[in-house]
Amino acid sequence: MSVSLSAFQQRIHSIVTDSNLNPKQKNLFLALEAESHLPYMDISEPVVKAMDEGILCDMFEGHAPFKPRYVLPDYAKFLQQGSEYLELEPAKDFDDAINLLTIIYHHVPSVTNIPVYLGQLDDVLMPYIGSLSEEQIYQKLKRFWIMLDRTLPDAFMHVNIGPKDNVVCRTILRVDAELKQIAPNLTFMYDPEITSDDLLRQATANICECSKPHIANYPMHAASYGDKRFGIVSCYNSLPLAGGSNTLVRMNLKEVALKASSEANFLNEVLPQYCQLMIELINARSAHLHEKSNFFKGFLTQEGLIDESRFAPMFGIYGMAEAVNVLLEKESVDGKYGQSKVANTLGHQISAKLAQIVDESPVKYGLDGKALLHAQGGISLDEGVTPGVRIPYGTEPDPVTYVQANAEHHQYYTSGISDILTIDETVKANPEAMFNLCKGALQLGYREFTANVVSNDLVRVTGYMIKLSDIEKFAEAGSRKNTTFLGAEAAKNTGILDRTPRVVSMETSPTYS
């Protein structure tokens, strides 16, 4: 007997019968379908129109958010006090600490249903090493690393280490270079007052091996948070520790520029207009989470691992390159983003204007009443528009010119900005060049240094990791890793594999005193 299915039922049927999805992945997609059929929260007609036109995007977080986008629990506090809800005693030794972390990770939500923040792990674990030898620590952390990748196979999941030199920090770098897994993602905090060149060299040598870690400018991030309590999560998102992000909404600057009649009209009228619509959308989404979802009545809040007041919305932008090029064309000015001083200067002016607007626009649920400006790294459905403030794929100049063109943007984006430099494989024979390029970029004002090496199987897409070998097999065999399908889609739609590899040598690296 044939059965007539509604459009909704057909989508459900296609998910449950998809041969490339495992049961957990099917559960995730089924949940997303269910949530997307709830009525959208109340927003004005101008906001609806801006979303329909592709100017504003809610990042598919759902029509009625019931969990924050990103959550950053205080794991050190958790290990010290245990958990009444999880019936766990405080950790007494290294094995206890790893076991407790393994348990709580499965109770920390995010937009992906997998925790995006695993902690500042060297700080969290150092109090429990006791008399363990370096080899014992290595064996335990290696097993832990393998467990994370196999049970939480999502490359938005993120570990932080540094800036202090310690055995856990160095061992994690050793294990990560050896295993070359997509998960967990990794950020190394660098502070020139604390971090030795030797430790930074180990981190940049790792980039040559496996395109990890990100190198974060610790003093720059810490200055954004008066209490210095923050973490880097997901791709490269800087957020308050014991808090997180309640929502991420983004704006397509290319589409906003197309609405403007001139550069002045864009900066003074059109951009501020759409920013206010974006604030309305942010407020609607965060209000539903804080006021209706009951999320903040859970054990993470009750046991003091998160604080509702430390959650803030992320005010994301992308398409800076295209916006600048559109505006210059309207002014009949020659110049291309990333290639000319006039274009780069206009881009910096737009970033400064955005930072001013965000600072002057209070939100209902923010950090000290404010949102956090973010250079959003794009999604796999984006076509004809470049992530964040990056230079378009295939047009990238040499790494030094790239850094000099974009460094001034980094001061404005409190909750994260990332330029992915694509480096030719010859750097593997000259790892000192990667060290010099990284150090010079941070000294120039980079908030985050990130690089891919083209011969590596492990590469970054926006900030999350994929393996090229997984993409090759995905269409026929699927993948146990939750982010492979996003990478495959991005490779098809957004040209991530068209990034131009550049040679970097010690002679051309931007080292500064």
Side-chain angles (χ1 to χ4, degrees), residues 246-382:
N246 41 32
T247 189
L248 166 56
V249 177
R250 66 178 190 154
M251 178 187 296
N252 186 336
L253 293 179
K254 174 186 177 182
E255 294 299 323
V256 178
L258 289 170
K259 296 279 187 181
S261 59
S262 66
E263 178 184 321
N265 178 244
F266 172 86
L267 288 170
N268 299 323
E269 298 180 40
V270 181
L271 182 62
Q273 170 193 342
Y274 281 105
C275 284
Q276 291 313 304
L277 294 178
M278 189 146 139
I279 293 294
E280 180 188 335
L281 180 57
I282 282 172
N283 281 335
R285 297 192 60 78
S286 57
H288 188 281
L289 173 71
H290 287 263
E291 298 171 10
K292 297 181 179 180
S293 73
N294 292 307
F295 172 80
F296 292 103
K297 295 181 180 178
F299 87 97
L300 292 173
T301 305
Q302 292 174 351
E303 297 186 4
L305 303 181
I306 60 172
D307 182 333
E308 186 175 6
S309 69
R310 292 185 63 78
F311 282 79
M314 298 167 69
F315 189 110
I317 59 92
Y318 68 115
M320 177 69 79
E322 289 75 19
V324 167
N325 291 342
V326 165
L327 292 173
L328 290 181
E329 185 175 343
K330 288 178 183 287
E331 301 285 350
S332 299
V333 174
D334 290 333
K336 290 293 183 183
Y337 184 80
Q339 311 294 327
S340 68
K341 183 176 180 180
V342 64
N344 295 342
T345 298
L346 176 56
H348 302 152
Q349 291 173 343
I350 294 172
S351 286
K353 183 68 174 182
L354 284 163
Q356 177 190 348
I357 292 172
V358 171
D359 186 61
E360 295 175 351
S361 301
V363 296
K364 190 170 185 181
Y365 294 98
L367 189 65
D368 298 324
K370 296 179 181 180
L372 302 173
L373 186 60
H374 176 66
Q376 201 276 324
I379 61 176
S380 58
L381 299 179
D382 294 342

Side-chain angles (χ1 to χ4, degrees), residues 8 40 44 76 90 112 134 181 185 276 281 309 326 356 386 402 431:
F8 174 73
Y40 208 93
S44 68
T112 67
E134 289 188 23
Q181 300 173 166
N185 214 325
Q276 291 313 304
L281 180 57
S309 69
V326 165
Q356 177 190 348
T386 303
Y402 193 123

